Amino acid sequence: MKNIKLIACDLDGTLLKSDKSISDHTINILGKCRARGIAVALATARSERGAKSVVSPFVPDFIISSGGSKISHCGKTIYVSQIPPEIVRDIISMCRNFMDGKGELTIETDSGHYWDYKIKPQNTTVESNSFYTDFKDFNEPAYKVTAELDRDDYCFEIIKRYPQLTFSGYSGEMWKRFAMLDADKSHAIERVCKYLGTAPSTVVAFGDDFNDIDMLRLCGAGVAMENATNEAKEAADFITASNDSDGVAKFLEENVLSEL
């Protein structure tokens, strides 16, 4: 596999093991790829803060965070797409009507990750450093709003009111993510490629879940993990070992570094 200019990796279920760690072997292989002139991007639903916290000491070239709503390069923000405060407030109101007091909401902003959790999240959770809020008079633009909604038709009602938004889900969870229409991983990869002066055909992308599907289809080599959803596997060009078996490193060793 030649002419690879960028490696794009999802985090949870992909680059990270089930215990939310990244192996020394994977860090070593990514470092070897970078030494050969290949940039590395994280593409995650996590916030930028959350992404940095779990991949340390590895420092990627790009972080695509909040599912594609923000892109940074070497610590410099190069793209943002946020939901206006007035729409955020209306989404909160609509979701709470749908959930009828049974679900929770989280909102990612520049100032932090806010959550009306009923039980304080533990250190092993995705966003254990969340700020608790009841969202009363919330007035910040948001990279994403996530809500525990058990029916997609609730989501479609929100999208019908705000066609500039999109939503996505996660396998095995009720959480639904709302963001601006162009704020997804595939659009983010296109923006990073333009920034680098290359094309998506020079990208190898790794993922495991529904929100990775468009990215896997877009890139020159879309690689699904063995633990991926069936839908992600069907969208991919290749399937590698699971996240707990260093599938990303294994694929890069056998198909990228070996060619170089």
Side-chain angles (χ1 to χ4, degrees):
M1 192 172 293
K2 299 179 181 180
N3 198 37
I4 298 299
K5 302 298 183 184
L6 177 68
I7 297 165
C9 288
D10 171 53
L11 282 182
D12 296 278
T14 302
L15 195 65
L16 300 181
K17 294 178 176 290
S18 296
D19 65 1
K20 305 305 180 185
S21 67
I22 179 172
S23 73
D24 291 339
H25 177 58
T26 295
I27 292 175
N28 180 50
I29 294 301
L30 290 174
K32 288 183 177 181
C33 291
R34 293 174 78 184
R36 306 292 181 88
I38 303 173
V40 177
L42 305 181
T44 178
R46 289 176 180 256
S47 67
E48 184 176 322
R49 293 179 298 275
K52 288 179 178 178
S53 70
V54 293
V55 297
S56 179
F58 178 72
V59 179
D61 300 285
F62 295 88
I63 298 180
I64 298 167
S65 57
S66 297
S69 296
K70 183 178 181 181
I71 306 171
S72 64
H73 175 236
C74 297
K76 176 186 176 183
T77 300
I78 61 174
Y79 175 79
V80 295
S81 180
Q82 294 176 298
I83 307 171
E86 62 275 12
I87 298 181
V88 171
R89 290 193 296 272
D90 199 28
I91 294 173
I92 292 171
S93 177
M94 293 180 73
C95 287
R96 283 184 161 169
N97 285 335
F98 295 142
M99 294 186 295
D100 194 24
K102 298 176 183 178
E104 299 176 3
L105 282 160
T106 78
I107 296 179
E108 182 65 43
T109 75
D110 281 319
S111 65
H113 185 266
Y114 297 90
W115 194 344
D116 62 350
Y117 52 75
K118 295 176 174 59
I119 299 175
K120 184 176 176 60
Q122 302 299 308
N123 291 334
T124 55
T125 63
V126 171
E127 297 287 357
S128 58
N129 59 343
S130 301
F131 299 107
Y132 175 80
T133 179
D134 60 5
F135 293 117
K136 183 179 180 181
D137 300 322
F138 197 81
N139 194 37
E140 292 188 50
Y143 290 110
K144 63 176 181 177
V145 177
T146 60
E148 286 188 299
L149 298 173
D150 57 359
R151 289 168 47 182
D152 281 357
D153 56 329
Y154 294 152
C155 302
F156 287 120
E157 284 195 41
I158 293 173
I159 299 305
K160 184 178 180 180
R161 179 176 294 186
Y162 297 108
Q164 65 269 51
L165 300 180
T166 185
F167 80 92
S168 59
Y170 309 94
S171 60
E173 301 180 17
M174 287 195 300
W175 288 100
K176 300 295 190 298
R177 166 191 176 268
F178 296 91
M180 297 301 287
L181 191 60
D182 63 347
D184 57 35
K185 292 184 181 183
S186 61
H187 281 97
I189 294 296
E190 290 177 332
R191 292 183 177 100
V192 171
C193 285
K194 184 176 181 180
Y195 188 88
L196 290 173
T198 189
S201 59
T202 67
V203 181
V204 55
F206 297 87
D208 74 303
D209 211 339
F210 299 122
N211 64 342
D212 299 313
I213 289 175
D214 287 345
M215 176 177 71
L216 296 177
R217 287 174 175 161
L218 170 73
C219 296
V223 187
M225 313 304 290
E226 180 56 42
N227 52 285
T229 63
N230 290 333
E231 292 83 354
K233 289 179 178 178
E234 290 171 1
D237 304 296
F238 305 94
I239 297 175
T240 189
S242 72
N243 61 321
D244 286 324
S245 299
D246 285 343
V248 170
K250 180 179 176 66
F251 184 90
L252 293 174
E253 281 184 287
E254 296 178 352
N255 298 279
V256 177
L257 289 176
S258 63
E259 295 293 329
L260 296 174

